[in-house]
Amino acid sequence: MGSDRDTLLGMGFDQSRVDWAMKATGNRGLQPAMDHILANEGKPVPDPGSVTEAPASSGGAMDVDDDEDAEALKALGVSAGSEVEAKSIKCSICSKVFRNTALANFHAEKSGHDQFEESTEEIKPLTEEEKKERLEELRAKMGEKRAKKAVEDAKEQKANEDIRRKAGKDMTQIREDLQAKEIMKEQEQKRRDKIEDAKAKAAVKAQIEADKKARVEKAAREKALREGRSVEATPAAAIPKPAAATSSSNAKEARIQIRLASGGQPLTTTLPSESPLQAVADFVTSQNTSIDASSLSFTQSFPRKTFTQADFSKTLKELGLTPSAALMAS
């Protein structure tokens, strides 16, 4: 038993499968064990305690009066005679001879043959040459099985890799699309900011010119009064208005730049024109927590205005801070 078991283990068979075969065949030798391994290839190995050990054979004879063998023979279409000592089972279709009913059943399942008969022909033990041939056959079958499994595993691995790569490409494309949209959004915002800055500069320039002209006219009036000359009032229509004054009431947003009395980089925010000045105060205090919100006020240089807490409930549109304005927070 030891040499047969070692031979099967040396072929690379799993130890549990070899022990199952040796126990199930009653330790009758290498050939029955190999036949059992072939017949049960692919089946899970049962728990050792649930395997019924076959009775040891004496001379290879098979008693057809045994209940189990008799039922097996009957299923194969063999009539068991009570006085006949059957040493083998023969397939009536292909004339192959089998040592026991298990091997005959296996042959019937594989070939579809269903006619068997008892035989007194004794199956001789395998010669060393036959054992080598059978071992080579088993190795070839196991090699084919492993090669087939390796091909299937490679196909499955390739399919999984293709799925993973496709998913990676999809995610990359999504990220690139999002980045492109963000870039376009930033560019559009910069364009709008540039336009609003230009409008604000134009409005400031117009206001400066208007203030300059008003000062010149005031000086001229005062001089005429000192000299006793009559002074003609300058029509209000002659005083230029800020370029953005005509469109400020229609602006939907206000871009506010806030400089802090304490210095540092100016703060910039864009708010809806209907937002109260309180929203600007909240923005400033959120950016600089050291500022006291209760005493905060804003000053506009052109035209010169100061906005106190009483003005915080008024909208940016009402205060003339649209479409843009520069404030000093103090």
Side-chain angles (χ1 to χ4, degrees):
M1 170 187 161
S3 60
D4 293 336
R5 182 176 183 278
D6 293 341
T7 300
L8 293 173
L9 291 175
M11 292 171 61
F13 290 112
D14 185 72
Q15 178 178 344
S16 60
R17 192 168 292 276
V18 172
D19 292 338
W20 176 29
M22 299 299 292
K23 185 175 182 180
T25 58
N27 301 320
R28 291 198 294 268
L30 182 62
Q31 182 179 355
M34 287 191 297
D35 290 338
H36 183 276
I37 292 175
L38 286 175
N40 294 278
E41 184 179 6
K43 296 181 181 179
V45 179
D47 182 81
S50 64
V51 178
T52 302
E53 184 172 359
S57 174
S58 57
M62 180 180 64
D63 185 2
V64 297
D65 286 335
D66 180 85
D67 292 340
E68 185 178 350
D69 285 345
E71 289 298 326
L73 291 173
K74 184 177 181 181
L76 292 170
V78 179
S79 299
S82 59
E83 298 180 357
V84 178
E85 183 182 4
K87 296 185 178 181
S88 60
I89 301 173
K90 183 177 181 181
C91 177
S92 301
I93 298 176
C94 64
S95 300
K96 286 187 177 180
V97 180
F98 304 96
R99 183 185 301 276
N100 52 44
T101 55
L103 297 177
N105 273 319
F106 178 69
H107 173 72
E109 292 175 1
K110 294 293 184 181
S111 64
H113 297 170
D114 57 359
Q115 297 181 24
F116 294 83
E117 60 184 7
E118 300 170 351
S119 174
T120 57
E121 179 180 350
E122 184 176 357
I123 298 177
K124 297 180 180 180
L126 293 176
T127 63
E128 290 299 322
E129 188 65 27
E130 289 173 336
K131 288 182 180 180
K132 290 181 180 179
E133 290 179 359
R134 184 60 64 88
L135 290 175
E136 290 298 327
E137 179 183 353
L138 284 173
R139 287 194 182 100
K141 288 185 177 181
M142 293 300 296
E144 290 176 2
K145 184 177 180 181
R146 292 191 184 100
K148 184 178 180 180
K149 189 176 185 304
V151 171
E152 292 175 352
D153 290 345
K155 288 182 178 179
E156 183 178 357
Q157 185 176 0
K158 186 178 183 301
N160 292 337
E161 181 65 18
D162 291 341
I163 293 174
R164 187 189 66 79
R165 288 182 178 178
K166 185 178 185 302
K169 289 181 180 178
D170 292 343
M171 290 301 298
T172 301
Q173 186 63 43
I174 292 173
R175 284 195 295 268
E176 291 177 352
D177 292 344
L178 290 175
Q179 289 175 356
K181 289 181 180 178
E182 287 297 325
I183 291 173
M184 292 179 63
K185 186 177 178 181
E186 290 177 1
Q187 291 176 345
E188 178 63 20
Q189 184 62 43
K190 288 180 180 179
R191 186 186 68 81
R192 290 202 304 266
D193 291 347
K194 188 175 181 181
I195 293 174
E196 291 177 358
D197 286 343
K199 289 180 179 180
K201 288 178 180 178
V204 171
K205 185 177 180 181
Q207 186 65 48
I208 291 173
E209 292 295 330
D211 292 344
K212 182 178 179 181
K213 186 174 181 179
R215 287 196 298 272
V216 171
E217 291 177 350
K218 181 179 179 182
R221 286 195 301 270
E222 291 176 350
K223 182 178 180 181
L225 289 173
R226 285 195 303 269
E227 294 176 354
R229 292 185 287 108
S230 63
V231 180
E232 296 181 358
T234 302
I239 301 176
K241 296 181 180 180
T246 57
S247 62
S248 62
S249 61
N250 297 325
K252 294 182 179 180
E253 292 183 340
R255 185 172 183 272
I256 310 297
Q257 186 182 74
I258 307 102
R259 293 185 177 276
L260 303 178
S262 59
Q265 291 294 327
L267 305 175
T268 302
T269 183
T270 300
L271 298 169
S273 59
E274 298 297 333
S275 300
L277 186 59
Q278 180 66 50
V280 179
D282 293 340
F283 170 73
V284 173
T285 55
S286 68
Q287 300 297 313
N288 191 328
T289 57
S290 63
I291 295 176
D292 184 5
S294 62
S295 61
L296 182 63
S297 64
F298 297 103
T299 303
Q300 185 180 26
S301 298
F302 301 103
R304 184 75 179 183
K305 293 181 182 178
T306 298
F307 304 105
T308 63
Q309 297 280 331
D311 299 311
F312 280 17
S313 61
K314 298 179 182 179
T315 66
L316 301 179
K317 180 186 292 186
E318 291 174 343
L319 297 174
L321 300 179
T322 58
S324 60
L327 302 176
M328 174 67 75
S330 59

